[in-house]
Amino acid sequence: MTSNPRNIHELAELARATAPDIRSVENGFERRVRRRIESEPIALPVSNLFSMAWKAAPVCAAALAAVMVLTWLHGAGADSATSQTYAFLNLFYPGY
Amino acid sequence: MRQRSSRTDADLVELCKSGETEAFEELVRRRKREILGFISKFCDTPDEVDDLGQEVFLKAYQGLSGFRASSSFRTWLYRITSNVCLDHLRRKRREPITFVEDVTLWEQGEDSNVQEQRVLVESLLNALSPMDRMIVTMLHIEGFSVQQTAERLGVTGVSVRVRAHRARKRLKSLMEERHDQ
């Protein structure tokens, strides 16, 4: 065995030769993994949905704000909710 | 069980996705030796190897539904393993180094010469950044090709070559310093 490596190949050889014995870790490893999996909280689809909704919230808010501004610009001067609604519809169906 | 062992990793992954947890245990049984062996290159004690190994397989289990067969299960598992090991190395860097004492914790009956040489290897590799150390380990100690290393780390082959060159240069100067002393 190389005692004092002089290049990368000798260092790699030394690393392989002195690799620790992991048999003690291998014993019962599957069982410990199973226990760990069972003890971890399960990520439910509902929580994923919530997480997606949370991430999408700023985009939705920005889009809504843009539509509101466009509606206001399009129907500037409209003073009732009904007029605002027509203005909004006019954005997508001109001449409504 | 005999039937299960003749199944490929891809078959077992599909079984896992359909809710057969025993198939995952078979995957763990198949891959534990190489994964734990790989992890041990970055750990000081068997407990650390066990803990990181569990973390790797837990992440694999949790991410299995998102696994696409664009790469093999083994390559995908190595990617998880290398990420877990990189995080571990980065954490270790922030903590005070006590590896000289810890390395002796591997085996009580182990030859002290082997332990000393392990400390030497550790001190040289520890001088590299976590990513450079990972690349040197994959390329030179594990014997993966540049392409395999790149796939397992999720980086380009050029990046692997550049980092490996830089790491070899650094190691060479460190080894020369040791010889001159």
Side-chain angles (χ1 to χ4, degrees), chain B residues 88-178:
Chain B
H88 172 70
L89 287 174
R90 288 173 189 136
R91 267 198 313 270
K92 242 168 70 166
R93 285 200 142 207
R94 290 195 293 265
E95 291 165 5
I97 302 168
T98 53
F99 66 86
V100 176
E101 288 85 6
D102 287 346
V103 167
T104 58
L105 294 175
W106 272 107
E107 277 295 320
Q108 293 302 321
E110 203 174 42
D111 186 353
S112 61
N113 188 36
V114 171
Q115 290 179 359
E116 269 174 36
Q117 294 193 321
R118 193 180 297 139
V119 173
L120 171 67
V121 171
E122 174 69 23
S123 63
L124 287 166
L125 293 176
N126 213 33
L128 303 175
S129 73
M131 190 54 149
D132 289 357
R133 178 177 175 166
M134 180 63 67
I135 286 171
V136 165
T137 304
M138 283 186 159
L139 281 178
H140 298 285
I141 302 173
E142 294 289 313
F144 292 135
S145 67
V146 170
Q147 183 61 31
Q148 287 170 328
T149 303
E151 276 174 7
R152 280 157 176 77
L153 291 172
V155 295
T156 62
V158 174
S159 169
V160 169
R161 282 198 184 89
V162 169
R163 280 180 170 273
H165 176 73
R166 192 174 60 194
R168 281 195 295 267
K169 211 169 149 186
R170 172 101 174 102
L171 286 171
K172 194 178 172 209
S173 73
L174 283 171
M175 287 186 274
E176 280 171 359
E177 270 174 35
R178 279 183 175 274

Side-chain angles (χ1 to χ4, degrees), chain A residues 1-8 11-12 14-16 18 20 22 25-26 29-30 32 34 36-37 40, chain B residues 24-25 29 32-33 37 50-51 53-54 57-58 61 106 117-118 120-121 124 140-141 171 175 179:
Chain A
M1 194 193 297
T2 314
S3 56
N4 219 349
R6 279 169 295 190
N7 56 49
I8 187 74
L11 177 66
L14 191 62
R16 282 192 293 268
T18 58
I22 51 154
V25 184
E26 278 184 45
F29 182 72
E30 300 91 310
R32 292 195 296 279
R34 192 177 61 220
R36 176 109 176 233
I37 287 171
E40 286 288 318
Chain B
F24 189 73
E25 257 189 74
R29 199 171 296 121
K32 68 175 177 182
R33 179 160 292 177
D50 191 43
D51 194 43
Q54 285 182 36
F57 284 103
L58 175 70
Y61 184 79
W106 272 107
Q117 294 193 321
R118 193 180 297 139
L120 171 67
V121 171
L124 287 166
H140 298 285
I141 302 173
L171 286 171
M175 287 186 274
H179 273 277

